[in-house]
Amino acid sequence: MALRSPLEAIRKFHDDLTLLRRDLHAHPELGFEEVRTSGIVAKALELLGVEVHRGIGKTGVVGVIRGRRCDSGRMVGLRADMDALPMSEDNAFDHRSSRPGLMHGCGHDGHTAILLGVARYLAKTRNFDGTAVLIFQPAEEGLGGARAMIEDGLFEIFPCNEIYALHNWPALPAGKVGINPGPMMAASDRFEIVIEGRGGHGAHPYLTIDPIVAAGQIITATQSIVARNVNPLDSAVVSICSVQAGNPGAMSVIPREARLVGTVRTFRRTVQEMIENRLRELSSSIAAAFGATATLTYERIYPATINTPREANFVADVASAILGKENVIRDLTPSMGAEDFSLMLQGRPGAYFRLGQGGAESGCILHSSSYDFNDSVIPIGAGILAAIVERSMPVVD
Ligand code: NI
């Protein structure tokens, strides 16, 4: 019964959280520009009597809730991301984006509403022995808001013993949760290969060093890395997603330069390093064979999101107690997508789980212009996070 209580208590203010979520949806803000959103978060926390810290990671907000006892000295961190995407929304409902070119296309509006639901419940009940640290993070979408918060001393100011986060997941039905005790999401890297040749007249290619022909060979060769160099029992992706050279209006000008941009996704550091090395070897030696040069720039954006087994099993146990074990997938297949909660998990034990919300079958998928967060799962997400705090730091009378 004790475990059911957060969910049932939070359901009582489900309507308030839905209104709040839709208001956030209608007013999306990009990473590190979440001025309105973080203001709403801070004000809501203050009204609940929660200690508020602002300016950690620029627009980040941290709420600190002390349990009715703090004898354990323990601290549990819960993280929600707040940022939207630079994309246009195609929905027609009343709470659609009011800002052209901006959209909550990944449901971070829902994550923010969920964590405010947790705050409202925990601030009232305080039924735990320790400190709950509610981390409202900016700029998850590629800008590294987690890194900014960590660099501003997040875990020195709030030395959490464990950290947890969730992400809505349209491919899982509402009412289900998915997790696994290891890799959840891949490392995400960006690479750029610049091939330099010698430009000239398209009618006299023998007087040029054509970077486009060299680029073509490099594109094909890089597809051999996963097929021929990565152990088939490991997972990896090499995708070239942008090819730029020459001018479509100049059919007879061989350009001097070609540029390839792509992404590498891996779970293991050794595989990541090997792929970077192969990209460099293949591009420079193929370019050299054509008399050109190739320069690789390789950036590690986010590391792999890897749960620690104890905390992942703990989340699965808590979720099973709330939703029934038939609704908790404990060996969810990892995704080649990426998540910057990974940076927090590099410093602290913890777990990241997927909150089913359904909709994928009808095209409501993450980063789609017709996406919307499913408000019906707000209490489920909040109930699980609140129960994590209560069960991780139980009051022993
Ligand atoms: Ni997201």
Side-chain angles (χ1 to χ4, degrees), residues 212-254:
I212 294 178
V213 173
Q217 305 287 333
I218 290 169
I219 291 168
T220 309
T222 53
Q223 291 311 304
S224 73
I225 298 174
V226 172
R228 304 288 84 179
N229 301 130
V230 174
N231 183 321
L233 299 178
D234 282 321
S235 300
V237 170
V238 175
S239 289
I240 291 177
C241 300
S242 169
V243 179
Q244 292 191 330
N247 181 341
M251 66 115 175
S252 62
V253 176
I254 292 172

Side-chain angles (χ1 to χ4, degrees), residues 106 108 140-141 167:
C106 202
H108 300 182
E140 190 282 326
E141 297 287 357
H167 203 293

Side-chain angles (χ1 to χ4, degrees), residues 34 83-84 122 130 138 172 193 196 201 203-204 232 238-239 261 267 276 283 305 338 345 379 381 388 390:
E34 305 94 335
D83 56 323
L122 290 180
L172 267 182
I193 300 168
E196 286 217 48
H201 202 299
H204 310 296
V238 175
S239 289
V261 177
F267 290 103
E276 179 182 349
S283 55
T305 305
L345 283 175
I388 284 171
E390 289 183 347

Side-chain angles (χ1 to χ4, degrees), residues 81 83 105-108 111 140-141 167-168 338-339 352 366-367:
D81 38 16
D83 56 323
C106 202
H108 300 182
H111 305 163
E140 190 282 326
E141 297 287 357
H167 203 293
N168 75 93
E339 159 66 62
Y352 173 87
L366 300 176
H367 295 210

